[in-house]
Every structure is written in structure tokens, then in C-alpha cells.
Amino acid sequence: QISDDGRGMPPEDVELINRADFSHIPDGQHVGIRNSVQRLKYYYGEHAFLEVESQLDIGTTFTIGFPYDLEVEKI
């Protein structure tokens, strides 16, 4: 999780990110978030997620999740 106590995000941006629907967003907007979601899905498929919670004038929290295996492969 990554959190801040900044200005927050508008609810429509939070919804867009949580749906991972960037299809109607003009190029140049939300580039970092868009790339992060695409890479998570590319490497981990539907097992990965990025969720955002935010309140205006209070702050924002991003939660990123993906599968991992603590077993070390023996060579």
C-alpha cells in the first residue's frame, strides 16, 4: 500500500482506476497508472490488482496485489 495525505482524487477518477478502464482517456493522461495496470495484468493476469481509495482534501491510498511464491527454485 502507498498512502498520502494530499488533496485526494475526484470520485470519477477513483472509479475509472478501480475499473481499469482507460479506453476513453486521452493519451497523456493517467499514463503512469495506465502502464502500471497493464504491466500487472501482462505479468500476473487476473490475479493482480490495483485498487485506489481516496477522499478529497484527505488523501489517497493505492493498494497493489499480485501472486508470489516464497518457494525458491533449486537449480
Side-chain angles (χ1 to χ4, degrees), residues 3-17:
S3 297
D4 69 27
D5 59 355
R7 65 181 187 194
M9 299 172 62
E12 54 272 8
D13 287 350
V14 172
E15 182 180 335
L16 174 126
I17 294 166

Side-chain angles (χ1 to χ4, degrees), residues 3-68:
S3 297
D4 69 27
D5 59 355
R7 65 181 187 194
M9 299 172 62
E12 54 272 8
D13 287 350
V14 172
E15 182 180 335
L16 174 126
I17 294 166
N18 286 336
R19 285 188 288 119
D21 177 15
F22 302 99
S23 60
H24 65 283
I25 301 300
D27 287 342
Q29 291 184 348
H30 301 298
V31 174
I33 295 170
R34 182 187 325 212
N35 286 344
S36 297
V37 170
Q38 288 174 343
R39 288 178 188 210
L40 279 170
K41 297 298 181 183
Y42 176 80
Y43 286 108
Y44 301 106
E46 295 304 313
H47 300 288
F49 66 89
L50 184 145
E51 295 175 349
V52 64
E53 296 177 24
S54 186
Q55 293 183 357
L56 291 174
D57 300 321
I58 294 179
T60 302
T61 298
F62 279 85
T63 302
I64 301 168
F66 52 91
Y68 64 95

